[in-house]
Amino acid sequence: MIREQVKSAQVEAMKAGDKERLAAVRLILAKIKDRDIELRTASTVPDDDTVVVEVLQKMVKQRRESIEMFKNGGRDELAAKEQAEVEVIESFLPQQMSEDETRAVIDGIKAEVGAASIKDMGRVMAVLKERHGSVIDMSKASGLVKAALG
């Protein structure tokens, strides 16, 4: 389980005295705990790894947006700090599909649901997220689906 990997990484970072990694791991654990609290009132709760992967993907997306803003603002030291956090967060994510693998999966789903135009993008994206959401960057996949249907 990914949650256990994160907890053990926290202990390892403490023992190694790696303050930057420890801070990033603690941020991850805090976000996971926040998500657990949100799910207390949910009627259906997804499995644990799915929840953790969603949290990690959201954190990576936020950091990448921050990196872009910091670079545009000339704050390279802050961008470097965010990049270091991205690397720690991504170390816990499952191996992501390559772009070619993603295109192949999209083509298969497109044929399966009978998608012919951009109007069918929502159906394709829903199936894609349901089956492969943990191993595909959905923001990149959106562009690939649009290109495949366009």
Side-chain angles (χ1 to χ4, degrees), residues 14-148:
M14 277 192 257
K15 287 181 179 178
D18 188 348
K19 291 181 182 179
E20 289 80 22
R21 182 169 175 82
L22 179 61
V25 170
R26 283 182 173 158
L27 276 172
I28 293 169
L29 289 170
K31 291 293 183 185
I32 292 170
K33 186 155 184 91
D34 288 346
R35 184 72 175 128
D36 289 344
I37 292 168
E38 289 173 19
L39 289 174
R40 284 183 190 166
T41 59
S43 57
T44 59
V45 178
D47 70 271
D48 191 55
D49 274 355
T50 303
V51 171
V52 174
V53 167
E54 286 174 0
V55 168
L56 294 174
Q57 287 175 332
K58 186 175 181 180
M59 289 178 75
V60 168
K61 181 181 178 194
Q62 289 170 338
R63 302 289 175 303
R64 288 207 170 115
E65 290 170 357
S66 296
I67 290 168
E68 188 68 31
M69 286 189 291
F70 287 141
K71 284 183 178 179
N72 290 340
R75 302 294 307 267
D76 292 334
E77 70 283 352
L78 292 175
K81 182 179 181 233
E82 292 287 314
Q83 183 59 43
E85 285 183 10
V86 166
E87 290 168 10
V88 171
I89 295 166
E90 285 181 335
S91 70
F92 298 108
L93 282 170
Q95 180 63 39
Q96 300 290 295
M97 279 188 176
S98 71
E99 191 169 318
D100 292 335
E101 292 171 324
T102 303
R103 287 181 201 272
V105 168
I106 289 170
D107 289 340
I109 292 172
K110 186 175 127 180
E112 182 184 320
V113 299
S117 71
I118 200 75
K119 292 179 183 176
D120 300 316
M121 185 173 173
R123 290 191 343 212
V124 173
M125 289 296 291
V127 173
L128 185 65
K129 183 170 183 171
E130 177 185 324
R131 293 185 188 164
H132 305 285
S134 65
V135 293
I136 292 179
D137 181 351
M138 294 307 289
S139 60
K140 291 179 184 173
S142 174
L144 296 173
V145 169
K146 193 176 287 186

